[in-house]
């Protein structure tokens, strides 16, 4: 039986939504909590969708953030398969696509985003897939048996991870990136060049600087990708990984400030009373981006902002100032990133990429702002302090792999 009022309603049963509920209970919150999510599953981890789950190496049950019993024991109501379409901030009421409604004391908006779609003809043909939800990936896996050639559109982390898995599964993969290098939005050119070479060495036909004109159809299904310039790349399946659009329309329509995400302050409060926003959909001023207003799409940010919102709701507000970190697995390469490299004006390569274990240190105005570490866990762990203290270290010292980064943090 679904009650019509909860002290806290969390919209979005993903990483941030689940963690907000976990944290509220950990902080001793005894009020009623409901999590409303439009997917049918209990909250699950999204990163394996383009890694072990797609590869068939992990079953879905191992992706669950908590087992079903956890939510029952903690008295967290899970209202699944339910999309929130409107928010009335004056009445503190949510409306569902099904027509139902729910009232809240405090609202946590944790809706992530939906995959950005191609706008060309054929973008919605059968055989064209996104990789955002379990349902997306199940569709991909169901069709793999009839596919030998896959075109991946987008050279960001998700596209590259999918390309790596599909190659490993024996598919012929063509990866198309519109910009002149992969990972251009998130990393420097050294890292892009390294990953481009790795993918090509594994057999991926990776093409940069190519624009998609449309998706071609045969017998009611995608059969190729036509490029500007008329070449058609044959495809039994097309995977589109070109970013997300934050799912914030109901909140913006309710009057919340924002646009590309909902604007939040350092306590994850939106401009609407008692309404918080966290995770991929929350636009916030980030100290690691020189206080620019950004959205971070990472598990770390979703979890840390969930804690920030939970602390504010329980009356112990603490501003959000977590150090950003991220990871990506491709082939046998584990990339770990700490800090944000946006706006860097210098890079130092530590180690030799040819050894497949190295780091790239990003600096701005002589200060360390981020590291990308490939199969270099020590640098990742020890480099964090350099990022957090914005250390100023001579580039020759940073490049010297004989000097552990933890020793350098003492000299600065
Ligand atoms: P989500 O986890 O996306 O949860 C949002 C939920 O809200 C979804 O279930 C959505 O369907 C639901 N929802 C949306 N609108 C509504 C509505 N109106 N009503 C009800 N429910 C709604 N991050 C990393 O740090 N490392 C990685 O390696 C990594 N790999 C990734 C691989 C893939 C394939 C993907 C898709 C993401 C990956 N990420 C990774 C990013 C990470 O998963 C996200 O940053 C994280 O899930 C964000 O959490 P969230 O709670 O903001 O959103």
């Amino acid at each position: 039986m679904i009650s019509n009022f909860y002290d806290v309603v969390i919209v979005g049963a993903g990483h941030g939504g689940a963690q907000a509920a976990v944290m509220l209970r950990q902080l001793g919150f005894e009020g009623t909590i409901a999590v409303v999510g439009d997917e049918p599953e209990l909250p699950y981890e999204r990163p394996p969708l383009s890694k072990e789950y797609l590869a068939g190496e992990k079953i879905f049950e191992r992706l669950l953030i908590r087992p079903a019993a956890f939510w029952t024991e903690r008295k967290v109501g899970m209202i699944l398969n339910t999309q929130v379409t409107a928010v009335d901030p004056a009445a503190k009421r949510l409306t569902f696509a099904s027509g139902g409604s729910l009232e809240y004391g405090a609202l946590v908006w944790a809706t992530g985003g939906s995959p950005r779609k191609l706008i060309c003809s054929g973008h919605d043909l059968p055989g064209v897939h996104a990789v955002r939800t379990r349902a997306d990936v199940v569709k991909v896996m169901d069709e793999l048996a009839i596919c030998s050639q896959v075109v991946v559109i987008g050279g960001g982390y998700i596209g590259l991870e999918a390309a790596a898995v599909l190659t490993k599964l024996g598919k012929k993969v063509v990866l198309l990136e519109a910009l002149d290098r992969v990972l251009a939005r998130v990393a420097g050119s050294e890292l892009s060049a390294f990953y481009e070479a790795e993918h090509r060495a594994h057999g991926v036909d990776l093409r940069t600087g190519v624009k998609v004109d449309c998706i071609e159809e045969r017998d009611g299904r995608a059969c190729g990708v036509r490029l500007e310039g008329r070449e058609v790349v044959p495809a039994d399946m097309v995977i589109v990984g070109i970013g997300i659009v934050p799912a914030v329309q109901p909140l913006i329509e309710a009057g919340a400030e924002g646009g590309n995400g909902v604007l939040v302050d350092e306590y994850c409060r939106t401009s609407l009373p008692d309404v918080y926003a966290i995770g991929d959909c929350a636009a916030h001023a980030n100290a690691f981006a020189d206080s620019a207003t950004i959205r971070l799409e990472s598990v770390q940010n979703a979890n840390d902002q969930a804690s920030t919102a939970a602390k504010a709701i329980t009356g112990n507000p603490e501003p959000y100032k977590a150090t950003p970190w991220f990871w990506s697995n491709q082939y046998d390469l584990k990339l770990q990133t700490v800090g944000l490299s946006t706006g860097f004006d210098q890079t130092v390569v530590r180690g030799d990429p040819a050894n497949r274990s190295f780091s790239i240190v990003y600096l701005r105005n002589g200060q360390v702002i981020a590291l990308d570490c490939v199969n270099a866990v020590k640098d990742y762990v020890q480099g964090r302090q350099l990022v957090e203290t914005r250390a100023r270290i001579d580039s020759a010292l940073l490049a010297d792999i004989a000097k552990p980064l933890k020793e350098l943090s003492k000299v600065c």
Side-chain angles (χ1 to χ4, degrees):
M1 165 85 180
I2 298 174
S3 152
N4 215 32
F5 171 84
Y6 288 84
D7 295 304
V8 178
V9 175
I10 299 165
V11 180
H15 277 277
Q19 183 62 17
V22 169
M23 268 311 280
L24 283 167
R25 289 298 184 228
Q26 267 180 22
L27 292 169
F29 182 75
E30 289 178 353
T32 50
I33 304 175
V35 179
V36 184
D38 60 3
E39 293 184 71
E41 297 90 357
L42 287 169
Y44 60 88
E45 291 173 30
R46 239 164 262 284
L49 293 180
S50 51
K51 306 178 182 76
E52 306 93 318
Y53 186 63
L54 177 61
E57 291 164 1
K58 232 181 197 180
I59 56 163
F60 180 73
E61 284 60 35
R62 289 191 52 211
L63 268 49
L64 288 177
I65 289 175
R66 293 286 190 284
F70 176 92
W71 304 114
T72 316
E73 282 159 15
R74 303 295 190 289
K75 296 194 169 56
V76 173
M78 284 287 168
I79 305 172
L80 302 175
N81 268 320
T82 302
Q83 190 191 17
V84 173
T85 49
V87 180
D88 179 341
K92 292 187 152 186
R93 186 184 305 120
L94 305 175
T95 305
F96 301 151
S98 60
S101 66
L102 199 64
E103 286 169 17
Y104 62 83
L107 174 65
V108 181
W109 195 260
T111 50
S114 40
R116 189 179 297 283
K117 289 185 176 161
L118 292 170
I119 43 172
C120 61
S121 70
H123 72 272
D124 52 356
L125 280 168
V128 178
H129 300 287
V131 181
R132 180 75 194 175
T133 63
R134 178 201 189 191
D136 292 336
V137 179
V138 165
K139 279 189 221 149
V140 170
M141 292 162 90
D142 284 350
E143 291 179 17
L144 275 181
I146 56 154
C147 296
S148 58
Q149 170 146 327
V150 182
V151 172
V152 176
I153 300 178
Y157 285 121
I158 290 176
L160 291 173
E161 288 180 351
V165 170
L166 293 168
T167 302
K168 211 168 131 189
L169 292 175
K171 308 300 170 191
K172 184 168 168 3
V173 178
V174 180
L175 187 138
L176 306 174
E177 166 56 51
L179 298 177
D180 62 355
R181 60 186 179 92
V182 301
L183 300 176
R185 207 169 53 89
V186 289
S189 55
E190 296 92 342
L191 197 79
S192 304
F194 173 77
Y195 275 102
E196 286 168 10
E198 277 293 328
H199 280 273
R200 288 186 178 125
H202 281 86
V204 175
D205 176 0
L206 188 149
R207 307 188 197 178
T208 55
V210 284
K211 304 254 183 327
V212 170
D213 181 33
C214 66
I215 311 291
E216 299 269 314
E217 177 202 331
R218 192 187 313 122
D219 301 330
R221 187 181 163 83
C223 68
V225 178
R226 181 178 290 277
L227 308 180
E228 281 182 4
R230 313 312 288 162
E231 182 193 351
V232 177
V233 183
D236 307 311
M237 179 191 285
V238 178
I239 290 184
V240 181
I242 54 171
I244 62 164
V245 179
V248 293
Q249 205 183 336
L251 265 198
I252 300 293
E253 284 173 359
E257 279 178 40
N260 176 20
V262 186
L263 203 58
V264 296
D265 67 8
E266 66 267 47
Y267 301 104
C268 292
R269 292 180 301 208
T270 70
S271 58
L272 299 176
D274 297 313
V275 180
Y276 300 77
I278 61 173
D280 285 10
C281 71
H284 63 282
N286 193 296
F288 290 85
D290 236 2
S291 295
T293 298
I294 57 168
R295 291 186 303 102
L296 278 180
E297 295 171 16
S298 72
V299 169
Q300 165 274 318
N301 175 64
N303 285 342
D304 286 330
Q305 288 193 328
S307 300
T308 300
K311 285 176 190 160
I313 290 168
T314 51
N316 301 296
E318 258 180 44
Y320 177 79
K321 48 176 187 248
T323 308
W325 57 266
F326 187 83
W327 77 95
S328 172
N329 300 341
Q330 294 164 52
Y331 309 109
D332 57 344
L333 301 165
K334 186 171 181 70
L335 168 72
Q336 292 167 295
T337 292
V338 59
L340 298 175
S341 60
T342 334
F344 70 89
D345 53 25
Q346 189 190 350
T347 55
V348 176
V349 181
R350 217 178 123 74
D352 183 359
N355 297 333
R356 306 177 87 244
S357 168
F358 66 101
S359 302
I360 296 166
V361 186
Y362 296 87
L363 300 106
R364 187 172 54 227
N365 301 327
Q367 293 180 294
V368 175
I369 55 167
L371 281 92
D372 281 331
C373 309
V374 177
N375 289 347
V377 182
K378 259 193 198 150
D379 278 2
Y380 168 69
V381 173
Q382 298 179 7
R384 170 180 288 259
Q385 207 188 342
L386 302 183
V387 171
E388 288 174 346
T389 57
R390 314 284 200 280
R392 284 181 187 279
I393 299 174
D394 183 71
S395 49
L397 280 177
L398 281 173
D400 184 354
I401 49 169
K403 300 235 172 359
L405 291 178
K406 68 175 178 206
E407 287 181 14
L408 301 188
S409 62
K410 285 180 205 141
V411 297
C412 65

